[in-house]
Amino acid sequence: MTEPLQEARPPRVPKPDWIRVKAPTSVGFAETKALMRRLNLATVCEEAACPNIGECWTKKHATVMILGDTCTRACAFCNVKTGMPRAVDPFEPQHTADAAAELGLEHIVITSVDRDDLPDGGASQFVKVIEALRRTTPSTTIEILTPDFRNKTESAVEKIVAARPDVYNHNLETVPRLYPTIRPGARYYASLRLLESVKKHDPSIFTKSGVMTGLGEQRLEVHQVMDDMRSADVDFLTMGQYLQPTPRHAKVEEFITPQAFAAYAAIARAKGFLLVAASPLTRSSYHAGDDFEKLRAAREAKLAGHRA
């Protein structure tokens, strides 16, 4: 009797050499991890399985993920767990500020899960974190990476902008055509309007947005996203390679070469972004502190050019 034929799974595209990173083993990594556990803080570095965690945590750079570790959405690219989140932790803002102080951070990135269950989407918690940081580590510059605050965008953005973070980041993630499969809970043009709204409320706040590559997007579609970002006056574009966190997530369609990233970066700079970071391992908060200094310098240079 012959065995029934089983449908073969398509083979996973092997990672090229330029995407491989070493496993984290340093003392600094262990100390950063211990601090996050002691303060009961989640990090996107861990929850999203970031490939740069070893490098960043060794340098005592960690991106805090507020509003818990459980997201109310289930995007096809994201490794953060989905479900019904716990109540918002009232100690989280001060614990975040304490972490920044203990790590000696000159620049901190704060992100969050989506909290569609909350009346304001969690915007007030972002405000409380910014206020706690200003009190505890007043010299630390603050970058936030927010969700889209679905159906409450305008009021949420207004509230957060009034707290004056130094950088407001919201990622478009991919091209509009792929939203139904990759980012089904979000709307491309709603995210664009959010970025536009930040500048409308306070033009002095730097805006930043990022896209993943390797999900099946076409080159001209990426160029169009760049144009859309510039029409919303986005200052800083990040581009990195999508990596499939588990077999149940969206698969990698293509590994984009470092040369192709360099070409994207050149086009983006020509379109007028103040700063562009594009490489296989680029992520939203990767080298964020150094990039913030470059952003400030680029704005100063641009203003000086206008005055000349």
Side-chain angles (χ1 to χ4, degrees):
M1 188 174 171
T2 56
E3 290 288 323
L5 286 173
Q6 288 192 334
E7 190 178 335
R9 279 188 179 180
R12 291 179 76 173
V13 183
K15 284 184 186 176
D17 291 340
W18 64 74
I19 210 81
R20 298 179 194 278
V21 292
K22 291 179 180 175
T25 56
S26 71
V27 173
F29 175 89
E31 289 174 349
T32 302
K33 185 171 185 174
L35 175 64
M36 294 301 150
R37 295 299 80 79
R38 176 162 55 83
L39 292 173
N40 196 31
L41 293 173
T43 71
V44 76
C45 323
E46 295 167 287
E47 304 300 333
C50 180
N52 304 313
I53 187 170
E55 178 189 341
C56 295
W57 281 27
T58 296
K59 296 176 181 175
K60 304 290 184 76
H61 295 168
T63 298
V64 175
M65 189 171 76
I66 64 171
L67 295 166
D69 63 358
T70 304
C71 189
T72 53
R73 299 193 199 167
C75 295
F77 65 88
C78 184
N79 199 45
V80 175
K81 68 182 176 187
T82 302
M84 190 60 201
R86 294 193 297 267
V88 175
D89 179 1
F91 300 107
E92 192 176 56
Q94 190 56 50
H95 284 170
T96 302
D98 292 343
E102 288 198 44
L103 292 169
L105 294 180
E106 294 177 4
H107 185 84
I108 189 169
V109 182
I110 308 296
T111 188
S112 81
V113 290
D114 277 290
R115 291 296 301 260
D116 297 316
D117 58 312
L118 298 174
D120 68 351
S124 57
Q125 189 78 337
F126 271 99
V127 172
K128 288 171 185 171
V129 169
I130 293 167
E131 289 171 348
L133 284 161
R134 296 290 187 218
R135 283 194 309 270
T136 308
T137 58
S139 63
T140 301
T141 49
I142 301 169
E143 178 172 332
I144 57 165
L145 169 55
T146 76
D148 60 9
F149 301 115
R150 187 170 61 198
N151 301 327
K152 43 193 94 87
T153 303
E154 194 60 32
S155 59
V157 167
E158 192 171 352
K159 193 182 294 186
I160 293 171
V161 167
R164 292 198 48 81
D166 297 283
V167 181
Y168 195 123
N169 186 0
H170 174 65
N171 287 331
L172 293 183
E173 306 290 12
T174 189
V175 301
R177 177 176 58 84
L178 296 178
Y179 262 57
T181 52
I182 300 302
R183 204 176 171 220
R187 299 293 177 268
Y188 178 80
Y189 289 102
S191 284
L192 262 182
R193 284 195 296 273
L194 182 154
L195 290 159
E196 205 168 40
S197 180
V198 175
K199 284 292 191 186
K200 184 180 77 178
H201 288 296
D202 190 341
S204 71
I205 293 176
F206 290 107
T207 49
K208 178 175 174 180
S209 190
V211 291
M212 300 173 290
T213 60
L215 283 162
E217 69 289 335
Q218 300 297 311
R219 187 168 48 86
L220 291 180
E221 289 180 307
V222 177
H223 294 174
Q224 183 60 55
V225 171
M226 292 178 188
D227 288 335
D228 291 344
M229 285 186 188
R230 288 302 301 131
S231 72
D233 203 19
V234 171
D235 298 303
F236 183 7
L237 166 66
T238 61
M239 296 182 68
Q241 171 71 49
Y242 166 68
L243 297 174
Q244 184 180 9
T246 74
R248 65 185 172 80
H249 287 85
K251 71 181 198 319
V252 175
E253 297 293 339
E254 181 185 5
F255 283 104
I256 310 302
T257 66
Q259 294 78 10
F261 274 108
Y264 273 137
I267 289 163
R269 281 191 284 269
K271 290 180 183 292
F273 289 96
L274 278 181
L275 194 65
V276 181
S279 76
L281 289 172
T282 293
R283 296 295 183 268
S284 294
S285 53
Y286 190 42
H287 296 163
D290 294 340
D291 285 339
F292 178 67
E293 293 305 320
K294 291 176 189 172
L295 257 182
R296 281 206 285 210
R299 177 182 278 175
E300 282 301 313
K302 187 176 179 180
L303 291 173
H306 288 162
R307 288 194 293 264

